[in-house]
Amino acid sequence: MCYWSKGLHKPQAPPSRQYSRRKWAPSFALATPHLLCGHRPLARAAPAALAGATAVLRHLRRPLGFRPAQLSPRLASRPACELPPTRRGASGSRPASGSDPANGFGHIFMLSFTTRPPHRFLSLLCPGLRIPRLSVPCAQPRPRAMAISSSSCKLPLVAVCQVTSTPDKQQNFKTCAELVREAARLGACLAFLPEAFDFIARDPAETLRLSEPLGGRLLEEYTQLARECGLWLSLGGFHERGQDWEQTQKIYNCHVLLNSKGAVVATYRKTHLCDVEIPGQGPMCESNSTMPGPSLESPVSTPAGKVGLAVCYDMRFPELSLALAQAGAEILTYPSAFGSVTGPAHWEVLLRARAIETQCYVVAAAQCGRHHEKRASYGHSMVVDPWGTVVARCSEGPGLCLARIDLSYLRQLRQHLPVFQHRRPDLYGNLGHPLS
């Protein structure tokens, strides 16, 4: 998926692309100084990489029945929404990085070099097969059209916001509000904000001083924002003064879910606190200022699907995600502020693992960049589908990425790979007990 973070431009049809029987409709493209997409710009390497991928596909075409997607010059000049159909059901595999919008296996809207297998479910039958797939960015930043099938436009759209919080709460709110309004303009029904969206302080004393109760001024501003934009908000990690504040003088790391009317429909208080000391990243002792939550929250029905709530460090504990999945979760969300050492090593690996083992979509909004002189975050917010494919990703800096949630694909995958039916609790116990 590829988006630009501000400014709406008229979509343009690419020179060539694969097409299907369904009617194509161009989607929006946004423009700012930097691109938010699943592949970083490689302008110099793109021609050579494209030539190499073409050679590989030519080599594979005869024994495996693959062929590159091509259009005649006459069709290439026509608008995307007028492209004629191909044979129905021609595609159906799950590529290694992204998927064709027409194949019914999820939706990543990156313009890329695509292939078509001769029959459906080839990737399920041959899981070791990796089909080459290449995205060729432009040398100069400019809006890019994205192909979306007419059926995919009916799927719920979610927005994942990436920010750089500071101790300035009002400036943080302005940044988040701008991204939420942009998500609403693009048609998202649910926007996800990262952990510590409200602020990131310099020390525990400042954290406690800046914290607020759920009924405070800041959360009221977000409830008004949800009503104004008419979309749900996942507020990934609010520094909450709980009812025991007077006794403990500690706060909760609270994940708050607001509906489109601004009402609080769920709250989850982070249960696994990050008390770690990573060489090169600096020590972190969250328990100095934060109390662990007492329980998990049952998945909540939203316009995008049933959402299971977690926060950052929780992703390292698969029992939590398994419990949420067995309770009916279809989307797991891990708002985070990963560090600069653990981020490159573990961030994407953990998120994809949680998606694969639970067969859920995973949405992870992240903090990015330098918050102040003492702390910086990794970023790379993303959405992972139940197959483990990263279908949307933010690059460097604040911005947002978008993804469509295809629950029919999720149910189809669970039917073909019924791992929850194959568990053996008689051998290793019931990891992740279902929520009551």
Side-chain angles (χ1 to χ4, degrees):
M1 174 177 287
C2 182
Y3 282 90
W4 301 78
S5 60
K6 293 181 183 177
L8 201 58
H9 289 256
K10 182 178 179 181
Q12 300 175 358
S16 65
R17 68 166 60 128
Q18 187 177 351
Y19 50 88
S20 75
R21 183 178 297 274
R22 300 172 186 164
K23 183 178 180 181
W24 291 101
S27 76
F28 299 103
L30 307 175
T32 57
H34 73 278
L35 187 64
L36 302 183
C37 65
H39 302 269
R40 295 186 179 183
L42 297 172
R44 296 181 179 178
L50 180 58
T54 303
V56 171
L57 287 175
R58 286 174 179 169
H59 177 71
L60 293 176
R61 177 173 55 187
R62 179 166 297 178
L64 296 181
F66 294 150
R67 61 188 178 89
Q70 295 180 343
L71 289 179
S72 68
R74 179 178 61 86
L75 295 178
S77 62
R78 294 171 62 178
C81 58
E82 298 179 3
L83 294 178
T86 61
R87 180 172 58 86
R88 183 181 297 274
S91 60
S93 73
R94 192 59 165 171
S97 59
S99 63
D100 177 9
N103 66 12
F105 275 86
H107 302 269
I108 176 171
F109 309 128
M110 177 73 71
L111 291 181
S112 55
F113 201 74
T114 59
T115 59
R116 292 191 289 177
H119 57 279
R120 295 181 63 83
F121 310 131
L122 181 59
S123 61
L124 294 178
L125 297 175
C126 307
L129 178 64
R130 293 183 63 85
I131 304 171
R133 198 172 164 83
L134 177 67
S135 178
V136 184
C138 303
Q140 298 295 329
R142 66 170 183 262
R144 299 177 64 179
M146 292 164 288
I148 304 178
S149 65
S150 58
S151 61
S152 74
C153 293
K154 301 176 183 177
L155 299 174
L157 185 70
V158 300
V160 186
C161 303
Q162 181 167 282
V163 301
T164 306
S165 293
T166 69
D168 188 337
K169 293 166 65 174
Q170 280 306 306
Q171 183 58 47
N172 296 337
F173 173 74
K174 290 179 181 179
T175 301
C176 291
E178 181 181 0
L179 291 175
V180 169
R181 292 187 178 104
E182 187 76 8
R185 283 193 292 269
L186 291 170
C189 64
L190 177 56
F192 295 84
L193 293 175
E195 181 184 29
F197 67 94
D198 49 354
F199 64 87
I200 291 183
R202 296 178 180 85
D203 52 56
E206 187 176 38
T207 297
L208 296 175
R209 180 174 59 82
L210 293 175
S211 62
E212 296 184 15
L214 287 179
R217 173 184 173 185
L218 184 62
L219 200 64
E220 177 59 28
E221 291 180 314
Y222 278 97
T223 61
Q224 294 177 6
L225 179 65
R227 287 195 296 266
E228 170 196 330
C229 296
L231 82 172
W232 288 55
L233 288 180
S234 164
L235 306 179
F238 176 72
H239 295 86
E240 177 206 3
R241 290 187 183 183
Q243 295 180 353
D244 55 357
W245 163 254
E246 296 295 335
Q247 294 76 33
T248 65
Q249 290 296 297
K250 289 188 175 182
I251 61 175
Y252 292 97
N253 191 340
C254 185
H255 189 161
V256 183
L257 188 64
L258 304 178
N259 65 16
S260 57
K261 297 181 180 179
V264 176
V265 295
T267 55
Y268 162 74
R269 292 164 180 87
K270 187 178 180 181
T271 52
H272 302 97
L273 300 184
C274 188
D275 291 353
V276 300
E277 188 168 350
I278 307 296
Q281 187 170 289
M284 175 173 289
C285 191
E286 192 173 11
S287 61
N288 283 344
S289 60
T290 306
M291 296 282 291
S295 62
L296 303 183
E297 181 72 19
S298 297
V300 181
S301 294
T302 74
K306 290 186 177 180
V307 175
L309 304 180
V311 179
C312 195
Y313 192 57
D314 288 334
M315 76 174 68
R316 293 187 180 273
F317 303 90
E319 297 87 350
L320 184 150
S321 61
L322 290 172
L324 292 173
Q326 292 179 76
E330 297 162 324
I331 303 169
L332 302 178
T333 179
Y334 293 101
S336 301
F338 252 53
S340 56
V341 174
T342 55
H346 299 160
W347 172 249
E348 181 175 330
V349 175
L350 286 170
L351 294 175
R352 295 180 67 186
R354 298 294 85 85
I356 293 169
E357 70 193 6
T358 62
Q359 298 178 320
C360 290
Y361 281 90
V362 167
V363 179
Q367 291 282 344
C368 68
R370 180 154 295 280
H371 310 288
H372 44 70
E373 64 277 5
K374 295 182 179 180
R375 187 169 175 184
S377 293
Y378 177 63
H380 295 78
S381 303
M382 65 178 62
V383 180
V384 185
D385 73 8
W387 186 255
T389 301
V390 178
V391 296
R393 182 197 305 264
C394 289
S395 62
E396 305 296 334
L400 59 82
C401 61
L402 304 169
R404 295 199 180 273
I405 304 299
D406 189 347
L407 296 182
S408 63
Y409 163 63
L410 179 147
R411 289 187 285 268
Q412 184 183 35
L413 178 59
R414 290 180 176 181
Q415 179 182 356
H416 287 287
L417 256 172
V419 293
F420 281 95
Q421 299 177 26
H422 297 158
R423 293 192 179 278
R424 293 290 305 276
D426 57 312
L427 299 180
Y428 43 73
N430 192 0
L431 301 178
H433 293 277
L435 303 179
S436 58

